Structure formats: C-alpha cells, structure tokens
Amino acid sequence: MNNKKIKFYKNRVCLNVLAKDINNAKEIIDATDGNVVVGILSKNFKDDESAYSEMIKWKKETNNKISIGLGSGNPKQSYMVARLTKKINPAHTNQVFTGVGLSINNFENNNTFINCLVSPTGRPGYVKINTGPLSSSVHNEDAIVEINTAIQIIKDMGGDSIKFFPMNGLSTIQEYKIVADACGKNNFCLEPTGGIDLNNFEEILKIAINAGVKLVIPHVYNSIIDKNSGETNIKKVKELYKIIRGQIYD
C-alpha cells in the first residue's frame, strides 16, 4: 500500500457501508469512531455531472470518508468511477480488475485507496479476473488465475486491495480462507464483499485477522439498511463495530 494513501482508517479493520444521506453518513462515522468509509454508488446517478455535484458535498461534509462504488460490482460503471475518482480524489474507490489502471491515471492519483474486484471460481486458490466491462461478458472461457499471481498483478497495476465479490455470505468460505491467507503472506489488503450480515460478520472478519491481513475492509450493505426508511441502521453499525473492537483488542 502506497504510503501516500490517505489514512482513512485507524485500525486493522475499516467498515465500508452505505448511507441514505449525509446526515446518515455522519451518524455512521460517529458510531464507528471514524473507522469507516461510506459508499456512494455511481450507478445511482444519470451522469458524471450529477454524481460529482453530490459526491463532492459528501466529501466535504464527511472529511473525505467516502468510497465511490460501482453498484453491485457492475462492470459497466468502471469508466464512470475512474473519471469521478480522478476529479474527486475520494478516500476509497471500487474498481473491476481492468479498471485499476484507469483509476490510478498515470500515477497522478496517489491519495485514493483503490480496490480490485476478483470473483470466486468454485476452485479454491484461484480467482476470476475478467470482471471488466467487456471481459465479464465473454462467452468462451473465464480468465482464472492463481491467487498469489493475481495479487502480484494487482500490485503491478497499482491496486491496494482485493475485493473478493460476490462471496454470497459463507457459501464461498473455503475459497475466501485461501484468499485471506494469500493476502496475509503477500502483505496485501482484503475487502470481503457480498452477503455479509451480523450473523456471519465475525467469522468472516476473524478469518482475515487470523491470516495476518494488514487491513480488512468488509463491505456490509443491504443487511443493515432499514427497508422502510432506507437509512443504514445505526444500532446495527454499532453492533458491527463492537465485533471489530473485540477482534482487534481482545
């Protein structure tokens, strides 16, 4: 991880959650002592201009605790995310495998932490890397790469972490364990994503911590959003943060 990256985290674990609005985002930041980045999904905006106008407000109001998201790993959002990352310089941004270089933008972007989306394959120790706008829709054979090699490729591109998505909760746990071990051994960061909730969060987090992963950024989205209000439930955020503190300090 580039030492120039903004230190948006204080501990080995930083949550990544969504928020309905800026007030909800501020509540989340307070509830986690700032160990969080709040996702804003690019797919929710009709164009770059409207996205930029809103995201720059969030950046200012949250002291840049924002993460620009694709939206369910949507590869079609890769170019938009790259353009917005260049203009906004958020603390954190999400990218597909082929979008990392676009977001780094010829080494001009040294302050944004950029993850790289790889997907489970059903084959422990190997990940799918054709997650880009064109490559994800190939009808022949997926690009399956051994996990340690994938990490080195991501490092070559300038990425800061693996976003392992979609995990589908614990259904890919055996693959996830090997990914976590590889991140620990290669001094790399890990972002488990997809189907994470209060029931499986601790197990998923513990695996990464025990593997020696230097920074874990679990994405917890729909499971903690109130279906009626659309807000991320602060009580549930506090429960997640309590689990994090227990894993780090106990």
Side-chain angles (χ1 to χ4, degrees):
M1 182 168 53
N2 192 324
N3 290 329
K4 294 182 180 179
K5 300 293 183 181
I6 293 174
K7 299 297 184 182
F8 59 85
Y9 61 94
K10 298 178 183 178
N11 296 315
R12 286 181 61 191
V13 181
C14 175
L15 275 174
N16 189 315
V17 301
L18 300 176
K20 180 181 180 181
D21 51 34
I22 291 175
N23 286 334
N24 193 203
K26 288 180 177 179
E27 290 178 324
I28 291 165
I29 293 166
D30 288 342
T32 57
D33 297 326
N35 286 283
V36 69
V37 281
V38 180
I40 312 174
L41 304 182
S42 62
K43 73 171 186 177
N44 292 341
F45 300 92
K46 63 179 181 179
D47 52 36
D48 287 21
E49 289 72 24
S50 58
Y52 175 81
S53 178
E54 186 67 14
M55 289 179 183
I56 206 72
K57 292 179 187 175
W58 286 55
K59 178 179 178 178
K60 180 179 179 181
E61 292 292 324
T62 65
N63 192 28
N64 198 16
K65 288 285 185 180
I66 65 170
S67 168
I68 297 180
L70 298 159
S72 301
N74 187 345
K76 294 180 180 179
Q77 295 300 119
S78 178
Y79 300 120
M80 183 179 186
V81 167
R83 293 191 299 268
L84 290 168
T85 297
K86 179 181 178 181
K87 289 184 67 177
I88 297 171
N89 285 314
H92 180 278
T93 204
N94 296 263
Q95 262 300 1
V96 294
F97 195 90
T98 55
V100 172
L102 295 171
S103 298
I104 289 173
N105 193 42
N106 198 28
F107 292 101
E108 290 180 10
N109 190 340
N110 283 323
N111 291 324
T112 297
F113 187 101
I114 303 170
N115 71 25
C116 182
L117 193 159
V118 303
S119 298
T121 62
R123 184 182 175 191
Y126 293 80
V127 292
K128 172 183 172 180
I129 66 170
N130 56 309
T131 58
L134 298 177
S135 59
S136 62
S137 60
V138 295
H139 299 293
N140 299 315
E141 187 173 342
D142 284 327
I144 307 300
V145 176
E146 191 273 332
I147 180 59
N148 292 281
T149 303
I151 289 172
Q152 299 310 318
I153 297 173
I154 296 169
K155 287 183 177 182
D156 281 345
M157 295 189 295
D160 297 295
S161 69
I162 274 187
K163 179 178 181 179
F164 191 57
F165 173 86
M167 281 186 61
N168 297 317
L170 299 178
S171 65
T172 57
I173 202 69
Q174 296 307 318
E175 291 182 70
Y176 172 68
K177 287 178 179 179
I178 295 176
V179 170
D181 285 340
C183 287
K185 291 174 182 176
N186 287 282
N187 196 32
F188 208 53
C189 306
L190 175 59
E191 306 191 29
T193 312
I196 302 178
D197 56 30
L198 279 164
N199 294 319
N200 59 32
F201 180 78
E202 185 168 10
E203 182 174 353
I204 289 169
L205 180 59
K206 185 180 294 185
I207 288 168
I209 293 291
N210 290 345
V213 180
K214 65 178 182 179
L215 174 61
V216 190
I217 307 177
H219 293 228
V220 189
Y221 285 177
N222 294 333
S223 66
I224 59 171
I225 294 176
D226 186 285
K227 292 180 174 59
N228 294 318
S229 68
E231 293 186 348
T232 289
N233 187 303
I234 300 303
K235 181 180 177 181
K236 291 183 178 180
V237 171
K238 289 180 178 178
E239 290 180 41
L240 291 171
Y241 190 50
K242 182 178 179 181
I243 293 171
I244 289 172
R245 291 199 309 271
Q247 285 298 308
I248 293 173
Y249 299 120
D250 287 357

